[in-house]
Amino acid sequence: MAVGGALRRMYTWTASHTPWSAWAWRNTAFTTAAIPPALPLVTGLALLVALPGHTPLPLLLVLALRPLLTLLQRSRFRSLLDLEVPPVVREHRWASARGLAERMRSESTWRQYGYHLLVSPLAAAGAVVLVLAWAGGAASASVYAWYWLLPTDGGPPAPGWNEQYDLITAGGVLALLAAPWLAAALARLDATAAAALLGPSRARELERRVEDLAESRAGVLDAADLERRRIERDLHDGAQQRLVSLAMNLGIARATLTGLPPEARAVIDEAHREAKEAIEELGNLVRGLHPAVLEDRGLDAALSGIAARAPLPVELAVDLAERPGPTVEAVAYFVVSEALANVAKHARAQRCSVRVTRVAGGAGDLLRVVVTDDGVGGADPAAGTGLTGLRKRVGSVDGTISLNSPLGGPTVVTVELPCGL
């Protein structure tokens, strides 16, 4: 079964690569279509050779026809080879002075000239060789038919003519078998050259893609921050206020309804206590989503609230001459909040310090957050201490985080965030 399957695959592959296959004719049609776009250059060079000393108007005409020739070549690749060569995106129209200056300075323009002045004539020459291979192979392979069809002078054939015709026929058959592969090789070389010269620069395209992704990511981060603020407002103005009203009503009921049975009073007391606990938990959740003080008063006031609620003494120092972007502020707030929570849970520290400063960086100002504790040290990001989450949150804004936590302490977490976001 395996041998039969292999034979069927080999037969199918051979049939699809024969001289009469669609693969052979498609590559042949694509390759021979390279001759017309090269005619202006060939004609211009021929006129320059035939008319020495004259102004090279034909060559200047070829240079002026670059946009048209580029469109023609892209159409050839798209229609005959199903290969899309993307156009070069320009900021200004070519008819304006800025557009002309942009095109003359652009390296993509000179790459296109390189294709039309060098690759296109070579592709046309290869197409001529391919046409000769097809025509010569067909004529040689059918030499016996030509012998019988064409009239002769009536004399006997020359000695050894059979051997000569056999060699000619064999050469023609070999040429016909080799022509599809020559066409495929020429098409592949032409496609490689077109992708490198006719389309946009790969480095520029990657740079533009990175810029688009950076803008998209910034938009996603802003949208997520806005959504967190909306949820915070809805919880604060909706559910939290309802819980406060419920707790007040339960408190009033407990104070005024003194004649209730002890069981009923116990239920009211329990409901009142659970309502207050729910208010506290909801307040913590709201602050975790996006504290209102961070938006209203900035990072200094928001971090002061975190430090005041911490279960250990926290020394806070915030030195910001200018507020960073709201996304960076939010990330810095959550970094400090998570770092202090880790210190309280795992470090067994007595004191902690938080330093927030704005420093100059290579590509712009950086917001540097340094959290230090005097705990036992030995913090490991793989041990589930929340450092992995910190690294992901910092990485979402292209920030960096470093950890220095030897056994015995102290532990120092340094985070740097770009202020430009």
Side-chain angles (χ1 to χ4, degrees):
M1 294 296 293
V3 174
L7 291 176
R8 283 194 298 271
R9 288 192 295 271
M10 182 179 298
Y11 173 77
T12 302
W13 184 88
T14 303
S16 62
H17 289 75
T18 55
W20 55 85
S21 64
W23 169 79
W25 288 111
R26 186 186 68 168
N27 289 327
T28 300
F30 169 79
T31 303
T32 54
I35 296 177
L39 290 179
L41 177 62
V42 174
T43 303
L45 294 177
L47 290 177
L48 287 178
V49 174
L51 302 174
H54 290 71
T55 305
L57 290 178
L59 186 58
L60 294 178
L61 180 62
V62 171
L63 296 179
L65 290 177
R66 176 196 58 83
L68 180 60
L69 293 177
T70 301
L71 290 176
L72 184 61
Q73 293 288 2
R74 288 199 183 104
S75 176
R76 179 171 71 98
F77 280 97
R78 181 173 56 254
S79 58
L80 298 177
L81 207 60
D82 294 332
L83 177 63
E84 188 68 33
V85 179
V88 180
V89 179
R90 308 288 189 181
E91 295 183 3
H92 306 285
R93 299 181 58 184
W94 67 271
S96 63
R98 289 185 177 180
L100 292 175
E102 178 187 10
R103 282 157 177 76
M104 292 305 296
R105 291 195 303 265
S106 175
E107 49 89 20
S108 62
T109 300
W110 301 105
R111 285 191 290 106
Q112 291 177 8
Y113 278 130
Y115 180 89
H116 297 309
L117 295 176
L118 180 62
V119 179
S120 183
L122 292 178
V128 171
V129 173
L130 178 64
V131 171
L132 293 178
W134 279 111
S140 300
S142 58
V143 64
Y144 276 105
W146 293 109
Y147 175 78
W148 293 109
L149 291 176
L150 295 178
T152 61
D153 55 1
W161 70 277
N162 286 331
E163 291 79 3
Q164 294 178 1
Y165 279 23
D166 289 343
L167 291 176
I168 294 174
T169 301
V173 171
L174 291 177
L176 290 177
L177 293 175
W181 297 98
L182 175 61
L186 292 173
R188 188 177 300 111
L189 291 174
D190 199 357
T192 303
L197 299 177
L198 288 183
S201 171
R202 185 171 181 82
R204 179 69 187 109
E205 189 68 15
L206 290 176
E207 181 182 351
R208 186 184 64 82
R209 181 62 176 162
V210 169
E211 293 176 355
D212 293 342
L213 290 176
E215 292 179 0
S216 300
R217 187 193 60 181
V220 170
L221 292 175
D222 291 341
D225 187 56
L226 290 175
E227 184 65 15
R228 283 196 299 267
R229 298 184 189 186
R230 185 190 64 80
I231 296 174
E232 182 269 333
R233 287 194 302 268
D234 291 344
L235 291 176
H236 182 271
D237 299 336
Q240 192 173 27
Q241 297 301 320
R242 290 180 179 271
L243 285 174
V244 170
S245 177
L246 175 61
M248 291 178 61
N249 290 333
L250 290 172
I252 293 173
R254 185 181 63 176
T256 57
L257 300 177
T258 58
L260 292 176
E263 295 81 2
R265 291 185 59 82
V267 171
I268 293 176
D269 291 342
E270 180 68 19
H272 185 250
R273 183 172 62 255
E274 289 184 356
K276 291 193 296 183
E277 291 176 356
I279 293 173
E280 183 178 359
E281 291 180 2
L282 187 58
N284 293 333
L285 175 61
V286 168
R287 285 192 297 270
L289 286 173
H290 190 88
V293 67
L294 178 62
E295 183 177 356
D296 297 336
R297 301 176 57 190
L299 198 57
D300 192 357
L303 295 183
S304 298
I306 296 179
R309 294 190 300 269
L312 72 163
V314 177
E315 179 185 353
L316 176 66
V318 179
D319 183 13
L320 296 178
E322 183 181 354
R323 288 184 63 174
T327 303
V328 175
E329 278 191 335
V331 172
Y333 174 85
F334 291 118
V335 164
V336 175
S337 178
E338 184 66 23
L340 292 181
N342 289 337
V343 171
K345 291 179 182 179
H346 308 287
R348 289 181 285 177
Q350 301 300 319
R351 300 186 61 83
C352 183
S353 67
V354 178
R355 298 283 187 273
V356 181
T357 56
R358 182 164 183 159
V359 297
D365 288 351
L366 297 175
L367 183 68
R368 178 176 296 166
V369 180
V370 181
V371 181
T372 307
D373 68 76
D374 59 354
V376 296
D380 184 5
T385 58
L387 294 175
T388 302
L390 279 181
R391 192 178 303 276
K392 291 181 179 179
R393 187 178 288 274
V394 170
S396 67
V397 292
D398 281 344
T400 60
I401 180 172
S402 62
L403 173 66
N404 183 16
S405 183
L407 289 176
T411 297
V412 180
V413 179
T414 304
V415 173
E416 291 185 344
L417 308 170
C419 294
L421 292 179

